Amino acid sequence: MENFPVRINADGTITREPDVLPRTPAKPDPNDNTIALSKDFTVNQSKNIWVRIFLPRQALNNNNNTCSSSSAKLPLIIHFHGGGFVLKSAATSTIHEYCQLIAAQIPAVVVTAEYRLAPEHRLPAAYDDGMEVLHWLKTSQDGWLQQYADFSSCFLTGDSAGGNLAYQVGLRASAIVDDLLPLTIKGLILIKPYFSGVKRTESELRLEKDPDFPLAINDMCWELALPLGADRDHEYCNPTVGGGSKLIEKMSSLGWRVMEYVGFADPMSDRQIEFLKLLDQKGVAVVGHVDGSGHRTRDFVGPTLCGYFKDFVLSSTKTA
């Protein structure tokens, strides 16, 4: 685990290595040479929950009158970053670059959330924070959100641990849809979601020594993130345990769609495919994409993913 930027201390706390994951500041100035402008807002100062909003540059080039109606506004994408629940931030440079790319390519207004990390704040803290972000968004008076974002066309997304988080927040949100209005969720976009379980799958055994995300690191992250005393068959980690959450049927009844992007070289690929089959069996409209990539962000961010992302968002909006 020498390449993983986390060290576990004797007292159970962790030390994150500085400077391993560089950060990028928000760029709200229209004169900056960037494909999407961005700015930060505090959601809950005491918990250090905040969001970074991305607005595609082309939105500013349109006449303001074209965004006066819901049909002319842009989809609202709410993103949760990965990092095994123990690393990264909404300001991590790779996250910033990914979000501005999605904002520009769809195009859409993208909101990426800063949530509390484990083990200082074990699950379900991150899920609680995700819900707090949704409640903040529904009442936000930010000009970009009010002018450009279509609150009736909202999607939850995330990669790795962020994909897990988007799913768990989606489950909670499905139970209180009226309380979240005017936010109306149309679907989930899960990019290699971070799932596991006690019994090893074929892909986990095949890729046990994966150079980017070996099983030893996977197990360590779950040990740090799960509630004390829980094992990897906890519902936060294994979404298929016990036949899955009863709220999956609620998602289905609401007409939500789920896209999942899976990489065959990802140790968690079998888990992700099993999860997608569960959703399908419970009546959720699913779209799956599988390629040969691994788990790391650098393995999949590019034109192919952006195309899948865009097609799913546009088709979900048309069929809703």
Side-chain angles (χ1 to χ4, degrees):
M1 296 191 291
E2 63 275 5
N3 295 324
F4 195 64
V6 167
R7 296 293 175 265
I8 301 180
N9 303 316
D11 62 358
T13 62
I14 67 171
T15 300
R16 299 175 179 88
E17 294 185 5
D19 304 324
V20 174
L21 298 170
R23 296 190 173 205
T24 298
K27 298 181 178 181
D29 188 348
N31 295 317
D32 282 342
N33 184 24
T34 179
I35 58 176
L37 308 184
S38 54
K39 57 183 176 180
D40 297 342
F41 286 94
T42 298
V43 174
N44 185 320
Q45 187 172 5
S46 67
K47 296 179 180 178
N48 193 33
I49 305 171
W50 53 273
V51 297
R52 177 165 294 179
I53 303 176
F54 293 83
L55 180 69
R57 178 172 293 279
Q58 61 261 46
L60 294 179
N61 297 332
N62 293 335
N63 187 294
N64 287 343
N65 291 333
T66 64
C67 287
S68 61
S69 66
S70 177
S71 61
K73 292 184 177 183
L74 303 176
L76 177 59
I77 310 294
I78 301 170
H79 172 267
F80 302 101
H81 68 79
F85 292 112
V86 301
L87 284 172
K88 297 188 180 181
S89 161
T92 299
S93 295
T94 54
I95 304 301
H96 180 94
E97 293 163 7
Y98 172 63
C99 287
Q100 69 175 4
L101 181 65
I102 293 298
Q105 291 294 318
I106 291 181
V109 175
V110 175
V111 177
T112 189
E114 181 79 348
Y115 56 87
R116 291 171 293 171
L117 299 177
E120 297 88 351
H121 305 281
R122 290 175 176 268
L123 296 174
Y127 307 150
D128 296 339
D129 296 351
M131 289 302 298
E132 190 162 351
V133 167
L134 297 190
H135 284 286
W136 179 86
L137 281 169
K138 75 175 186 179
T139 58
S140 173
Q141 296 302 307
D142 169 63
W144 285 1
L145 292 173
Q146 291 295 314
Q147 184 172 356
Y148 297 105
D150 181 1
F151 278 57
S152 69
S153 185
C154 174
F155 296 83
L156 306 182
T157 186
D159 61 285
S160 189
N164 175 304
L165 207 161
Y167 170 63
Q168 292 289 344
V169 170
L171 289 175
R172 293 186 180 194
S174 70
I176 58 166
V177 288
D178 290 341
D179 291 340
L180 292 174
L181 293 173
L183 278 183
T184 303
I185 297 171
K186 299 294 187 184
L188 312 181
I189 302 169
L190 310 180
I191 311 300
K192 303 184 180 180
Y194 187 41
F195 298 136
S196 190
V198 171
K199 184 178 180 180
R200 300 302 190 191
T201 66
E202 188 280 329
S203 64
E204 288 171 333
L205 295 173
R206 172 170 51 88
L207 297 164
E208 178 181 2
K209 304 297 184 181
D210 180 73
D212 285 332
F213 205 68
L215 278 186
I217 290 179
N218 172 72
D219 292 352
M220 180 188 75
C221 288
W222 279 118
E223 185 176 345
L224 293 169
L226 286 169
L228 290 172
D231 65 19
R232 293 191 307 277
D233 276 339
H234 191 283
E235 61 181 324
Y236 296 161
C237 179
N238 185 349
T240 63
V241 69
S245 171
K246 294 181 180 179
L247 288 172
I248 295 176
E249 285 90 346
K250 180 63 175 178
M251 284 185 177
S252 175
S253 69
L254 291 168
W256 292 8
R257 304 173 73 219
V258 175
M259 186 189 102
E260 188 182 49
Y261 185 48
V262 179
F264 184 70
D266 183 346
M268 287 164 276
S269 57
D270 283 351
R271 301 272 181 201
Q272 295 155 1
I273 293 172
E274 182 183 14
F275 167 70
L276 201 64
K277 290 179 179 178
L278 173 69
L279 296 184
D280 181 59
Q281 292 166 2
K282 290 182 174 289
V284 177
V286 298
V287 177
H289 297 287
V290 182
D291 66 13
S293 62
H295 190 73
R296 288 288 183 96
T297 303
R298 67 169 182 263
D299 293 332
F300 59 83
V301 172
T304 299
L305 175 59
C306 287
Y308 292 153
F309 213 119
K310 182 173 183 176
D311 289 347
F312 181 81
V313 168
L314 295 182
S315 62
S316 298
T317 303
K318 290 176 182 177
T319 58

